Structures are given as structure tokens and as C-alpha cells.
Amino acid sequence: MEPHSLILAAAGAGTASNGAGAGHDPHAERVALLVALFVMFAAAKVFAEIFERLRQPAVVGEILAGVLIGPAVLNWVSPSLATETLAEVGVILLMFSVGLETEPRAIFSVGKTAMGVAVLGIVLPFVLGAGATLLLAGPLQLQAPLVPAIFIGVAMVATSVGITARVLADMNLLSHQSARIILAAAVIDDILALLVLSAVSGLATDGVNWVKIGATAALAVGFVALIVTAGTRAMKIAAPKIGRLRQRDPLFAFALALCLGLALLAEIIGIAAIIGAFLAGMTLADRSHEEELMHKSEALVQLFLPFFLVGIGMQLKLDVFRNPWVVVLALVLTVLAVLGKLWGGMLAARGLGRRAALQIGMGMVPRGEVGIVVAQLGFQLRVLNESLFGSALFMAIATTLIAPPFLRRLFAGESSAPTNAPDAACVEEDPIDIQ
Amino acid sequence: MEPHSLILAAAGAGTASNGAGAGHDPHAERVALLVALFVMFAAAKVFAEIFERLRQPAVVGEILAGVLIGPAVLNWVSPSLATETLAEVGVILLMFSVGLETEPRAIFSVGKTAMGVAVLGIVLPFVLGAGATLLLAGPLQLQAPLVPAIFIGVAMVATSVGITARVLADMNLLSHQSARIILAAAVIDDILALLVLSAVSGLATDGVNWVKIGATAALAVGFVALIVTAGTRAMKIAAPKIGRLRQRDPLFAFALALCLGLALLAEIIGIAAIIGAFLAGMTLADRSHEEELMHKSEALVQLFLPFFLVGIGMQLKLDVFRNPWVVVLALVLTVLAVLGKLWGGMLAARGLGRRAALQIGMGMVPRGEVGIVVAQLGFQLRVLNESLFGSALFMAIATTLIAPPFLRRLFAGESSAPTNAPDAACVEEDPIDIQ
């Protein structure tokens, strides 16, 4: 229902006092939604403009816009089910459009390197984060610090690939070799993080169920493999038929349905909805209509991505930082979160040369919404106290703000290979052998 | 925050039982959102396809898709804050894109006729609806039927212009003279309905405040007049400067911010958010970049309109129709709702010839979300009982389903004048003098 408002606006004032509803005022809810829509979008675009003029990445500006308008500073808008719905739609559309620019072949060719990047990028941050929490357990007055430390480790693990993807898309570098490795590593990273969390959650509650974890692993890997192989082939056959349907722009409608459908399937299986959306985009990536699809989904991303980015900034909480040891922990976790992914990337991708290895490592640094969700889970389970929760939130948001400027510098001057021309993309400016 | 899910998916199963949160399971909520997104979108597109093949309007198919998947039949998805958020976004984007195709001049030139259509289209349905309810008060066992009857009358009043706009846009007829009269009348209709409801709500609660109603009227009329006149001129000056901003596609970003900002302002003033969005589109309608804007907002509409249309169908409730008198009331209200708008349009626009007058009258028939919201308000205020509420809902949805096929027939064979060429649009196939 479109909550057409003339009515409630008129009635709201007169009847708020004796409304018989379940304690909620639909007019006020509608205004709150429209305030969130306008303020989040306008703030994002104003900050994007400022940051572009400062030659800084627009995504950083948009996240900081969220810090400013959110509870941490001005409190004009706070996170709600409505803003989270819009944010979810935004990042799903983003990863779908990134998928559209990513040919499966281009991902396969970097599989081995990506696997190394993902594995080391999970092990190192986990060990560093858990270790640092254990070392600081004394001054933070943690009793029984082991399980909380493990949770902090998990919050350090998974990459928020959306941020990096957006920075590289803004630079027109999605078909760059390092970008392809980052995207492939992020898919593997997501599956591995799912398994790590399965194990750790069991640890924190009623024991680790290895059979279930194995089944989850098999399902997740099978899902990805099936879509990347059979899905791509099926699309080649289906697309011309879909184009002949009667409704307006049937291929775009089908593409969006596929995006939402695979996002749902991925979520049910246990990997992230955005991975499903990314895979949906990828199966459509070498269709002949793909440029039209990209153009249209770019419009969708332009409207909805701000809600995702601003939404990340809106999560920041500052009140726990009155305790100086919490500040220390937050900063230490942030530094280790950066170093862990950076070292992981550099070790795993050292064969590609120092610059590419740095690019890849830095591309995995942002923790964004993934770190935030783990932290919230730990807080809900009462494994993390306010201080640890606040520190993990800070780490997630700080890594997301730190990476983009470095990425811009590390990728500056790289050839922006023509999008979706994998053969051309293999010819890098740096004379590096591929794999 | 994008609620990245790998984490909660993994943890959900293990921890649902002892989660310390406020009784809500974020993973389940995310799955519910994704189910709603996918099922609503896919059902809408499948039904749109079926209806196109039956040579029926796609919008009817999409609303019926909502009846099917909603609580009335299959109950796969029910209305929630998330689906209402998406629906609201969908209809705002729809009316923005309709505004983009509507030049202010084209609206001004039909102002007088539109005023007559709006006034008669409010008076007749109100009188008919209230009268019918009073006549059926006996068999329906209503004590004190006057205030409920007045509320039913109000629910019959306001047009849901989105439906008609979509049908005409699908036929490429938005610049047709009758379409322009319908759009202008819908804006006036919305303001008048606001005032009627202000008065009636006062009646139902703590007395009618005429001063407040007068102030609301002045504010609403002033808002519309200011935007249509000064807003359009301001945009002519501002647009070239906006185009020079640094961020990606600055004019589109600005257009969306304007759309959301005016939607918010309109809602605060008390007229509908969609009127604000429509006016925002109109101020941008004769910009040189407008074709680019239309192409992009069309992509937005394609993704989000289904949530609005399916959302209307999802509101239908069938359980009250076990009482045969309720069936009678629902059918009578539906017939009178159609006749009231049709007669109103025909009386006010009789100077344009029978066919144009029928087109305009039928264009005002759909009550859609507006009727639904009034009905819900009456139900919340305990002015309407279950039976009257169910009947008003039925009327709102039935009128919305009835109008599009007739509109298609009434407009069949009309010249599809080139969009946004008001001079060309004045030359109709039928040799009718304009005003």
C-alpha cells in the first residue's frame, strides 16, 4: 500500500490523542520515513560532492555523512527497520551491478590466488584480533576473556566487498586484474567466514556441530559453483527468449527477479544475500544486452547506495570511549584489522609484484556492515560487553573509511581496461605475469 | 547498515533459543524481507506478462498478483513496515517520473476544467457513498450510522492518480489532453480531499477547527502554486550549474533529492507525498537533460512500482463477506464509486465531447491506496466496524481494478503525441476545441 497521506496528515493532529490504533501514528511514521529518505540521500550527495572536490573517495564522504546525521553527532536520523530495508536493497543492487561487469572467466582465471588471499586474510586478522583482546583483558577488566576474544577475532574476519567494489567502479577499474582477485577472494572469504562463525557460535552456545558445518560448507560451495557454471550457460540460452516477452523491458525485469531470487537463496543457504546478487549479475555479464542492463542498474544504485553507505556511518557509537582503555582497544583493533588483511594479501599475492599485492590486500581491508553485524550478534548474545561492542563497531567503520583513499592512491594511473573485455584486461600496465 | 548475513545465518540456528535480543531474530527478518522482495516482484512480473498477453492492462495483473500472494489467498507475504516502505518509494518514484513528462504549461491550460472535474468528483461520490451506507444501516445493524456513513463517503472521495498515470504512460499518452486534465484534477482533488478529511476527522473527534482548516488550505494551495511557478523558473537557472558539479551524474542526484525533499514537504503540509514528487518532476520537465532523467527514473519505477501495485492487492480482506449484506454494501459502494467519478467527469468536461469526458471521468475512478488509508483510519478510530472497513477496502481495490481496462478501451486509437511536446499535444485526433 502506498500510504497516501492527505488523510492521515489531516486527521493526525486532531486524533493523535484518542487514536484507537496499536499505539503507532501512521502519519508520524510516514513523515519519519520521508525524513530518513531525504536527509540520508541529500547528506550523502552533499558529502560526496565535498569529497570529490577534496580529491577523496565519495564513499568516504557518504559514510561520514552517516556519522554526522546519525546518533553519534546530530541524531537527525537513527537506524530503523525502514533505513535497514533501504540499505539492504542498496547493497544488493550495488553487488548486482558489480556482477554485471564481472565475467565468470575473469574470476576463474584468478581462482588460486584469490583462495590464498581469502584464507590468509581470515586467519591473520582472527589471530591478531583475538590476541590483542586477550592482552588487553586486564586493563579492560574482562572476566573470562576467551570467548569474547574469539568473537572479536571473528568480527575482524570478513571483508565488506561492496566498499572496495564501489571505489574501483568509480575509477572504472572493475576489470583490472587486482579487482578480479579481490572480488573472487571476497566470495570465498564470505563462505569461509560463514563456516568460522558457525563453529564459533556453537562454541559460545551449545557445542560445535561439525556435521552441520560440513553440510553448510558443501551447500555454499555447491550453490556458488552451480550458478557460476550452469547458470551462465542457462542464461545464454534463455536470454533471447526472455527478450521476446510482451511486458515492458522484459530482460531488465528478468534480471532483477534473478537478482532478488538468488539473493534470497544465498541468504537461506547461509551466505550473504549480496553474494547471490553478485552471482546473478555475473551470469548476465556477457549477454549482448548487458550494456543496457548496466545503464539501468546504475540508476538504481545511484538512488539506493547512499542508504547503505550512510547507514554504515549511522551505526557509530561514541559513548563507550570515555574509558581510555576502550579507545586503546579500538585503535589497536583497527590497526591490526588493516595489517592483517594487508599482510594476508601481500603473502598470498606476492607473485604478482609488490604493487598488485598491496592493492589486493588493501582491497580486503573494509569490514563495513559485516563487522557491524558480527559485533551486534556478540552483543545480543551477551558475549561482548558495551566496551568490546563499541570497539568492534569502531574498527568496522574505521577500516571502511581508511581503505578507500589508499585504494585510490594504489590504483592511481592504472589502465582502466575496457569493461568486460577480459582479454584486454589481461594486458596490465605493469608487466606482471598472470598467475 | 547492510545486514550482511553470513554471520547471522550461521549463528541463527545455534543461538535462536538463547538470543538475548529484544525477541527478534535478525536473520529471520532478513529472510522475510528477501522473500517479500522476490515474491512480490516476481509475482508482479509474471502477472504483468499474463495480462499483456490477454491484452489487459499490466497494472491490473500486478494488483491481482498481490491479492493472490497476500493474506486473502495464499498468504505468502503479508503487509509489513518493509513492504510499505518499498511501496511508498515505488509510488513516489512513479509520480516523479509522471511529473517529468508533464510540462507546467500543459497543466495550466486545462486548469478550469480540471477544477470542475475535481470538485464534482468529490461531491458526487461523497454524497452517494454516505447515502448508500445510511440506507443499508438497517440490515447491517449499525447503531448511530451517521459518522460511519460520512467516513465511507470520504473513503469514496480521493483518486489514486498513480494507477491511471501508469496506464496512460504505458500507452504513451501522458501528454494527451485528457491525461493532462486528469493529472491536474488529481492535484486539486488531493487538496480538496485533505480539507474534507480535516473537517470530518474533527467531526469524529473533538470538533471541527475551521481556522486550522483554512490555514491548511492556504498552505497547501500556496505550496503547489509556489513550486509550479517559482520552482520551474528556479530550475531553469539552477540546472546548468548543477550539471557542472563533480560527483557522478549530478543532475540525476539533484533531481532525486528534489523529489524526496518536496515529497517530505508535501507530507508535512498535509497533502500527499506523491503530489510533492509529481511537482518535483514537473519543475524538471522542460530541462534539456530531461530525456536522460526520464530514462533513469524509468529504471527506478520498473523495480519499485510492483511493490506499490502488489501492495494494494495484498490489503484485500475476504473474511467479512460471510455476511451477505456486507457483500451488497461492497458491491453498491463500488458501483457508486465508479458512477460518482464518471458522472462528475462527464458533467465537468462535457464541453470536450462525450469521449473525452468519459476518458476523464474513468481516469478519476481508481481509489487505490487513498481509499485504503481512509478506511484504515476510520477502523483505527473505531468509527468503522469490520464490515464497513472490509467494504471500503473492497471498493478501493475493485475501482482500481475496474478502471484500467475501460481506460485502455476509451483511449484506444488516440494519437500518442510526442512526449513533452505540448504544442503537438494540442492537436488531438478528435476535433475538439481546447477549453
Side-chain angles (χ1 to χ4, degrees):
Chain A
M1 185 197 68
E2 192 277 317
H4 203 290
S5 57
L6 72 174
I7 313 303
L8 296 168
T15 60
S17 49
N18 66 345
H24 74 117
D25 173 354
H27 176 60
E29 273 173 17
R30 191 110 25 78
V31 170
L33 169 63
L34 289 163
V35 167
L37 279 166
F38 174 66
V39 172
M40 290 175 82
F41 185 81
K45 292 301 175 181
V46 168
F47 273 71
E49 183 66 26
I50 294 170
F51 273 66
E52 286 285 353
R53 280 167 190 250
L54 299 172
R55 294 178 192 285
Q56 295 299 314
V59 289
V60 174
E62 300 193 29
I63 296 168
L64 286 177
V67 173
L68 182 69
I69 65 169
V73 186
L74 296 174
N75 204 20
W76 289 354
V77 184
S78 24
S80 68
L81 184 59
T83 66
E84 283 174 22
T85 299
L86 297 168
E88 174 87 11
V89 170
V91 71
I92 284 174
L93 293 171
L94 170 69
M95 290 310 296
F96 175 68
S97 77
V98 169
L100 280 178
E101 300 191 43
T102 310
E103 297 226 16
R105 276 177 295 170
I107 291 283
F108 281 137
S109 69
V110 296
K112 264 190 237 162
T113 312
M115 179 62 88
V117 171
V119 171
L120 284 173
I122 287 212
V123 172
L124 290 175
F126 178 81
V127 171
L128 291 170
T133 310
L134 286 175
L135 284 175
L136 286 166
L140 287 164
Q141 297 174 308
L142 297 176
Q143 277 91 37
L146 186 62
V147 176
I150 289 176
F151 243 92
I152 292 288
V154 177
M156 307 268 284
V157 152
T159 291
S160 163
V161 68
I163 303 294
T164 297
R166 182 61 179 180
V167 172
L168 296 177
D170 278 340
M171 298 177 78
N172 207 13
L173 282 171
L174 276 179
S175 54
H176 187 285
Q177 191 202 9
S178 299
R180 289 183 280 127
I181 294 174
I182 292 167
L183 286 169
V187 174
I188 301 167
D189 175 302
D190 194 71
I191 295 175
L192 292 177
L194 162 72
L195 303 179
V196 170
L197 198 87
S198 282
V200 168
S201 301
L203 208 75
T205 53
D206 45 7
V208 181
N209 183 342
W210 293 107
V211 175
K212 186 165 169 289
I213 292 174
T216 306
L219 198 59
V221 171
F223 173 75
V224 172
L226 188 73
I227 291 170
V228 173
T229 55
T232 310
R233 245 169 271 153
M235 276 313 300
K236 270 194 221 296
I237 300 164
K241 285 175 197 157
I242 292 159
R244 264 178 262 131
L245 292 178
R246 295 273 174 84
Q247 62 188 286
R248 252 192 204 204
D249 205 349
L251 194 69
F252 187 54
F254 176 82
L256 290 173
L258 188 71
C259 166
L260 296 174
L262 291 188
L264 171 61
L265 263 182
E267 183 80 29
I268 289 172
I269 286 173
I271 48 179
I274 60 168
I275 298 293
F278 173 70
L279 295 173
M282 221 164 73
T283 63
L284 297 159
D286 55 1
R287 294 302 321 145
S288 46
H289 301 275
E290 163 234 306
E291 203 167 316
E292 170 76 3
L293 289 181
M294 278 203 298
H295 193 72
K296 294 203 159 187
S297 49
E298 177 57 30
L300 299 174
V301 171
Q302 240 185 316
L303 175 55
F304 285 94
L305 187 60
F307 299 105
F308 168 62
L309 296 172
V310 172
I312 290 178
M314 272 171 30
Q315 303 289 329
L316 189 65
K317 286 184 183 165
L318 295 176
D319 42 352
V320 292
F321 293 115
R322 285 181 207 127
N323 178 349
W325 283 107
V326 179
V327 178
V328 172
L329 178 65
L331 293 176
V332 167
L333 289 183
T334 303
V335 171
L336 294 178
V338 173
L339 292 179
K341 288 285 184 186
L342 212 51
W343 289 339
M346 289 186 68
L347 281 173
R350 64 191 178 281
L352 303 176
R354 193 182 149 76
R355 189 173 185 192
L358 273 170
Q359 289 170 338
I360 294 163
M362 190 56 79
M364 305 295 286
V365 163
R367 303 304 198 280
E369 78 287 1
V370 194
I372 293 172
V373 169
V374 182
Q376 282 171 334
L377 179 71
F379 189 56
Q380 275 184 348
L381 292 175
R382 297 192 185 157
V383 170
L384 300 184
N385 60 22
E386 288 265 346
S387 308
L388 292 177
F389 176 49
S391 304
L393 274 186
F394 181 90
M395 175 281 300
I397 295 167
T399 50
T400 308
L401 290 168
I402 289 168
F406 283 102
L407 280 173
R408 289 254 284 220
R409 217 152 297 161
L410 285 166
F411 276 95
E414 299 277 343
S415 70
S416 79
T419 321
N420 272 299
D423 299 331
C426 292
V427 187
E428 308 293 341
E429 271 192 16
D430 295 346
I432 291 163
D433 285 336
I434 289 178
Q435 284 266 281
Chain B
M1 183 198 68
E2 191 278 318
H4 202 292
S5 58
L6 71 175
I7 313 302
L8 295 168
T15 61
S17 49
N18 64 346
H24 73 116
D25 173 353
H27 175 60
E29 274 174 17
R30 191 110 24 76
V31 170
L33 169 62
L34 290 162
V35 167
L37 279 166
F38 173 67
V39 173
M40 290 174 83
F41 186 82
K45 292 301 174 182
V46 169
F47 273 71
E49 183 66 27
I50 293 169
F51 273 66
E52 286 286 352
R53 280 166 191 251
L54 300 172
R55 295 178 191 284
Q56 294 300 314
V59 290
V60 174
E62 300 192 30
I63 297 168
L64 285 177
V67 173
L68 182 70
I69 65 170
V73 186
L74 295 174
N75 203 21
W76 287 356
V77 183
S78 25
S80 69
L81 183 59
T83 64
E84 283 174 21
T85 299
L86 297 169
E88 174 87 10
V89 171
V91 72
I92 284 174
L93 293 171
L94 169 69
M95 290 311 295
F96 175 68
S97 77
V98 169
L100 280 178
E101 299 191 45
T102 311
E103 297 227 17
R105 277 177 295 170
I107 291 283
F108 282 137
S109 69
V110 296
K112 264 189 239 162
T113 312
M115 180 62 88
V117 171
V119 171
L120 285 173
I122 287 213
V123 172
L124 291 175
F126 178 82
V127 171
L128 292 171
T133 310
L134 286 174
L135 284 177
L136 286 166
L140 287 164
Q141 298 174 309
L142 295 177
Q143 276 90 40
L146 186 63
V147 177
I150 290 175
F151 243 93
I152 291 288
V154 177
M156 308 267 286
V157 153
T159 292
S160 163
V161 67
I163 301 295
T164 298
R166 182 62 179 180
V167 172
L168 296 177
D170 278 341
M171 297 177 80
N172 207 14
L173 282 172
L174 276 181
S175 54
H176 187 284
Q177 190 201 8
S178 300
R180 289 184 281 127
I181 294 174
I182 292 166
L183 286 169
V187 174
I188 302 166
D189 175 300
D190 194 70
I191 295 176
L192 293 176
L194 162 72
L195 303 179
V196 171
L197 197 88
S198 282
V200 168
S201 302
L203 209 76
T205 53
D206 44 7
V208 181
N209 182 343
W210 292 107
V211 176
K212 188 167 167 285
I213 292 174
T216 306
L219 197 61
V221 171
F223 173 76
V224 172
L226 187 75
I227 291 170
V228 173
T229 56
T232 310
R233 247 169 270 154
M235 276 314 299
K236 271 194 220 296
I237 300 163
K241 286 174 193 157
I242 292 160
R244 265 178 261 129
L245 292 177
R246 295 271 175 83
Q247 61 188 283
R248 250 189 207 209
D249 204 350
L251 194 69
F252 187 55
F254 176 82
L256 291 174
L258 188 72
C259 165
L260 297 174
L262 292 187
L264 171 61
L265 264 181
E267 182 81 28
I268 288 172
I269 286 172
I271 48 179
I274 60 168
I275 298 294
F278 173 69
L279 295 174
M282 221 164 74
T283 66
L284 296 159
D286 55 1
R287 293 303 320 147
S288 47
H289 301 276
E290 164 234 306
E291 203 167 315
E292 170 75 4
L293 289 181
M294 278 201 302
H295 193 73
K296 292 201 160 190
S297 48
E298 177 56 32
L300 298 175
V301 171
Q302 239 185 318
L303 176 54
F304 284 94
L305 187 59
F307 299 106
F308 168 63
L309 297 171
V310 173
I312 289 178
M314 273 172 27
Q315 304 289 328
L316 189 66
K317 286 184 183 166
L318 296 177
D319 40 355
V320 292
F321 294 114
R322 284 182 209 128
N323 178 347
W325 284 106
V326 179
V327 178
V328 171
L329 178 65
L331 294 177
V332 167
L333 289 183
T334 303
V335 170
L336 295 177
V338 173
L339 291 180
K341 288 285 183 184
L342 212 51
W343 289 339
M346 288 187 69
L347 281 173
R350 63 191 178 283
L352 302 177
R354 194 183 147 75
R355 189 173 185 193
L358 273 171
Q359 290 170 340
I360 293 164
M362 190 56 79
M364 306 295 287
V365 163
R367 301 305 196 283
E369 77 286 2
V370 194
I372 292 172
V373 169
V374 182
Q376 281 171 335
L377 179 71
F379 189 57
Q380 274 184 349
L381 291 175
R382 298 192 185 159
V383 170
L384 301 184
N385 62 22
E386 288 265 345
S387 306
L388 293 177
F389 176 50
S391 303
L393 274 186
F394 181 89
M395 175 281 299
I397 295 167
T399 51
T400 308
L401 291 168
I402 289 167
F406 284 103
L407 280 173
R408 289 253 287 221
R409 217 154 298 165
L410 284 166
F411 277 95
E414 299 277 343
S415 70
S416 79
T419 321
N420 273 298
D423 300 331
C426 290
V427 187
E428 307 293 342
E429 271 192 14
D430 293 348
I432 292 162
D433 285 336
I434 291 179
Q435 283 269 290

